[in-house]
């Protein structure tokens, strides 16, 4: 989406010392002039979407922090960029790693932009429908940003309004439960968004996206009944097949991400030299063993699985089929999926199983819908007779279905597979170290670093 230059973008974030400088270019709108009407707020909404495109988020660094860290992708280039990505691969990163500081700063930039919208929307005269749409979109984006922060670092500052420099220097890390409570509040607000937008505005957050993300939050909290409650209307819509639907993966990836009914929400990109593309290297291109697909083909049951070829190992200079959209001058416009219908069905299957003594037919139906969409036979109660067997089947299906979509690392941690997947790695590595630059900005540095980490 078109970039919007906002005033004092970093005043409320916790970045390096320079980020506290009051940057207000005289030839661009400022906080005092930009948020006084609906047009200004609409522009700010585009600016908030825009930050998700950043190379510090879905444009690059999330691939490192959320996939290279896991077991589907690996980095064997210890010399590139001073080894900062290789450190993530081999669990040797320190608080000085710039992958961490870049992602942290960008996520708080997103939150700052959303906070500006939300607090200024209260003072702008507009219709109820306009308010619902503006506030709902900003609330969703703030919730997604905090969801990524809390999964990456655990306790983080909970900032819901713009801050002065001194306020920012006195921030504390909030309890995880308080962060999740804010995320739930924001997504509950976002559920008031439209179920669909006009074609010209396709890609904006919908009520289905808010419900799906809220269900995912509840999944991480272990509140399975709430997962079912939130997903029931989404599953109904998927089965109806009008706006949402399960779509065989090769029909969505890599070229139809912008139009596929399987996509509930994605970060959008454009080509054309307008600063809205993503570099093809940042879609798992194998450059000097920097992005090696380590998901073994043998993990798939057979060649009939239509997902297998899309995540096959790549040679030098190649990208996996899943993200191998055409590139011009290294630019690609491939969107990055955040929520898909296939994941909704798997979350639904998992939650149904967790709330029953044994796998139910409804849970099998949800799991098998994804398998059949992949060209496989459905599982039977004879194959998965117990709750634990069904649970493991869902975990396996998530690994294959969501490969390379920035979920694998979080799934390893969430499902308590860390010690099995990475034996010998210290358990504190399930959270990243808080960037040292952020700690240095604080007046009181007590309790700011996660257990186990020191600056070396």
């Amino acid at each position: 989406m078109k970039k919007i230059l906002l005033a004092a973008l970093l005043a409320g974030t916790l970045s390096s010392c320079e980020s506290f400088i009051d940057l207000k270019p005289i030839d661009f709108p400022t906080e005092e002039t930009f948020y006084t009407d609906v047009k200004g707020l609409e522009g700010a909404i585009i600016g908030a979407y825009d930050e998700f495109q950043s190379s510090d988020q879905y444009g690059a660094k999330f691939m490192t922090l959320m996939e290279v860290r896991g077991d589907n992708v690996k980095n064997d280039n210890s010399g590139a960029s001073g080894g900062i990505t290789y450190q993530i691969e081999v669990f040797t990163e320190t608080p000085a790693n710039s992958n961490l500081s870049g992602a942290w700063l960008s996520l708080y930039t997103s939150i700052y932009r959303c906070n500006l919208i939300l607090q200024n929307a209260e003072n702008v005269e507009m219709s109820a429908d306009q308010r619902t749409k503006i506030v709902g979109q900003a609330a969703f984006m703030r919730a997604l940003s905090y969801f990524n922060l809390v999964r990456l670092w655990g306790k983080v500052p909970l900032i819901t309004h713009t801050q002065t420099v001194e306020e920012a220097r006195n921030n504390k890390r909030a309890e995880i439960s308080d962060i999740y409570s804010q995320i739930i509040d924001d997504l509950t607000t976002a559920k008031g968004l439209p179920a669909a937008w006009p074609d010209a505005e396709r890609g904006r957050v919908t009520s289905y996206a808010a419900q799906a993300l809220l269900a995912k939050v509840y999944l991480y909290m272990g509140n399975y009944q709430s997962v079912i409650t939130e997903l029931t209307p989404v599953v109904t819509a998927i089965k109806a097949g009008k706006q949402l639907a399960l779509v065989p993966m090769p029909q969505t990836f890599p070229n139809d991400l912008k139009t596929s009914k399987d996509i509930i929400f994605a970060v959008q990109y454009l080509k054309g030299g307008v600063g809205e593309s993503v570099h093809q290297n940042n879609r798992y291109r194998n450059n000097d063993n920097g992005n090696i697909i380590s998901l073994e083909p043998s993990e798939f049951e057979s060649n009939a699985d239509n997902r297998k070829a899309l995540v096959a190992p790549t040679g030098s200079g190649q990208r996996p089929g899943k993200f191998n959209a055409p590139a011009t001058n290294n630019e690609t416009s491939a969107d990055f999926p955040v929520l898909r219908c296939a994941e909704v069905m798997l979350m639904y299957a998992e939650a149904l199983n967790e709330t029953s003594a044994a796998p139910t037919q409804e849970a099998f139906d949800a799991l098998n819908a994804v398998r059949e969409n992949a060209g496989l036979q459905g599982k039977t109660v004879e194959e998965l007779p117990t709750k634990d067997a069904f649970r493991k089947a869902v975990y396996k299906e998530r690994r294959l279905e969501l490969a390379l979509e920035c979920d694998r690392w979080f799934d390893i941690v969430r499902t308590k597979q860390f010690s099995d997947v990475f034996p010998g790695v210290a358990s504190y590595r399930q959270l990243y170290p808080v960037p040292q630059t952020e700690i240095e900005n604080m007046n009181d540095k007590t309790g700011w670093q996660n257990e186990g980490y020191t600056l070396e």
Side-chain angles (χ1 to χ4, degrees), residues 223-262:
N223 187 344
Y224 299 111
Q225 188 55 56
S226 291
V227 175
I228 296 169
T229 299
E230 294 300 330
L231 289 186
T232 296
V234 187
V235 170
T236 298
I238 292 170
K239 290 178 179 179
K242 293 181 180 179
Q243 182 184 344
L244 303 176
L246 288 175
V247 179
M249 193 176 285
Q251 294 179 27
T252 298
F253 294 89
N255 296 319
D256 294 316
L257 285 157
K258 297 183 189 303
T259 58
S260 175
K261 290 182 179 181
D262 186 49

Side-chain angles (χ1 to χ4, degrees), residues 111 114-115 118 138-146 160 182 186:
I111 290 165
C114 293
N115 285 343
L118 292 168
F140 176 93
M141 288 186 275
R142 184 168 70 179
L144 177 57
S145 297
Y146 272 119
T160 57
Q182 182 62 53
D186 280 344

